[in-house]
Amino acid sequence: MELTIGKRRRLQQCSTPDGLFVVMALDHRDSLRRALNPVNPESIGYSEMVAFKLDVVSALAPVSTAVLLDPEFSAAQSITGGVLPGRAGLLVAVEAAGQADEPLAHRPEVLEGWGVEKSARMGASAVKLRLPCQPEGRHATAQERLLDSVVAECRAHDIPLFLRLLPLAAGSRARKLSSAEKRAAVIETARRLTSRGIEVLATEFPLDTTEVPDEAAWAASCAELDEASQTPWVLLSGGVGFEAFARQTQIACGAGASGIVAGRTVWGEAAELRGEAALDFLNKTAVDRLVELGDIVAEYGAPWTQRYPASAHDVGESWYESY
């Protein structure tokens, strides 16, 4: 597959020299408020959100290839606060907040006042769009229309798009997908959407590993996903326990994944702590977890450059005239 100069350079900023992703995710908004105060999440204001996110970025960005942040509480704040190293890539979410049990999750939209152009202008290495996977759902057309518009903007600004799949039950805001339903939704969505101009697919494990304990089936589902996807793909932690995600990471990377995007699985307990206890957890346990995941990715992962091979000889003498 072809990759433009700008998109290639920005993917390099987000990955190891070997072309592997170890991305720390912290674009959580409503869910983070609930984690910080389960009894009264509305009491968590701007300052508390920013302070927590800066602590997490400060601890984990140095051991990440890139960080995934939101525009409201962390992207600009991490830059101006000096906690995001210059060598770390920056992915910025473009969608409005919304959880799987809310209507907005089915009908996603770009955050008002934000978008791809502003992400590129602030120096982001890539943008991320969360999109429900409901191949037969009644909102599928609107979801794909939104994807196409974001893809067009990314093309105009030469910035890569990470598409984050959110498996949801069609026609229901609450029902949990069975493992078979999740597998079918993820793989069919990957088959349909990775040909529409995205650069990296980000998805949870393509089946419910608690429902299906057979690791041979795990590997088979990842191999099926790897075959269906026309782009590099990375594994999302999706809030599973650390030990389970470490095993999922090994299997997914062994089947062709190019790395991970890990959030609460790495830093989640820090939201329940305060003060020095939270900082101690982030700087020790969370760092150790992300380093361990990075080691797994380095050993088993498939470089994204395998999907986008290139050579200096591919650039013609007057390439800049038509760029």
Side-chain angles (χ1 to χ4, degrees), residues 21 199-202 229-234 258 303-305 307-308:
F21 300 103
E199 279 65 51
V200 180
L201 177 70
S229 179
Q230 297 185 37
T231 66
W233 61 282
V234 292
S258 296
W304 63 263
T305 49
R307 300 266 190 170
Y308 299 119

Side-chain angles (χ1 to χ4, degrees), residues 3-295:
L3 197 65
T4 61
I5 298 296
K7 290 182 178 183
R8 183 175 296 276
R9 176 58 181 149
R10 286 175 161 125
L11 288 181
Q12 290 169 344
Q13 293 171 346
C14 295
S15 59
T16 68
D18 295 326
L20 298 167
F21 300 103
V22 183
V23 180
M24 187 277 292
L26 190 60
D27 58 330
H28 310 66
R29 283 161 274 184
D30 296 341
S31 62
L32 179 56
R33 280 195 172 95
R34 289 195 289 268
L36 290 170
N37 190 335
V39 176
N40 186 17
E42 293 79 12
S43 69
I44 301 299
Y46 175 84
S47 297
E48 293 96 329
M49 292 284 282
V50 171
F52 179 81
K53 288 184 176 238
L54 292 185
D55 285 342
V56 177
V57 174
S58 179
L60 297 178
V63 293
S64 308
T65 62
V67 295
L68 168 58
L69 303 176
D70 67 281
E72 294 168 271
F73 304 106
S74 59
Q77 294 86 345
S78 292
I79 295 172
T80 60
V83 299
L84 181 61
R87 50 143 290 276
L90 171 60
L91 283 67
V92 183
V94 296
E95 77 275 355
Q99 302 304 315
D101 57 349
E102 298 173 356
L104 184 58
H106 291 71
R107 299 187 297 275
E109 57 187 29
V110 172
L111 177 66
E112 185 176 357
W114 188 244
V116 174
E117 186 272 335
K118 288 186 178 181
S119 298
R121 187 151 50 89
M122 75 172 293
S125 308
V127 297
K128 164 255 179 181
L129 174 68
R130 183 187 62 216
L131 200 70
C133 18
Q134 299 172 297
E136 306 304 326
R138 62 191 179 94
H139 298 298
T141 300
Q143 292 157 5
E144 293 181 10
R145 188 180 301 119
L146 173 64
L147 173 61
D148 289 342
S149 69
V150 173
V151 164
E153 287 190 70
C154 287
R155 186 178 298 116
H157 296 284
D158 213 2
I159 187 169
L161 173 61
F162 282 63
L163 179 65
R164 188 268 202 246
L165 297 186
L166 178 66
L168 295 177
S172 171
R173 292 183 289 173
R175 183 174 66 84
K176 183 178 183 292
L177 291 173
S178 70
S179 182
E181 288 175 321
K182 181 178 183 180
R183 180 173 180 168
V186 169
I187 291 171
E188 177 58 24
T189 305
R191 183 175 291 113
R192 289 173 56 169
L193 299 188
T194 53
S195 63
R196 298 178 81 129
I198 74 167
E199 279 65 51
V200 180
L201 177 70
T203 179
E204 296 174 13
F205 207 80
L207 53 73
D208 186 339
T209 57
T210 62
E211 185 179 320
V212 181
D214 180 10
E215 290 195 1
W218 298 11
S221 70
C222 290
E224 188 178 5
L225 173 58
D226 188 67
E227 183 178 0
S229 179
Q230 297 185 37
T231 66
W233 61 282
V234 292
L235 184 66
L236 291 163
S237 58
V240 303
F242 174 73
E243 295 300 330
F245 184 63
R247 185 61 183 147
Q248 290 179 2
T249 296
Q250 180 176 336
I251 290 175
C253 287
S258 296
I260 58 166
V261 177
R264 291 167 294 169
T265 296
V266 171
W267 52 257
E269 294 95 320
E272 304 169 7
L273 304 171
R274 295 296 181 267
E276 289 300 318
L279 294 176
D280 186 64
F281 177 88
L282 289 171
N283 286 293
K284 294 179 181 178
T285 303
V287 167
D288 288 345
R289 286 176 176 176
L290 196 55
V291 169
E292 181 177 339
L293 291 170
D295 289 342

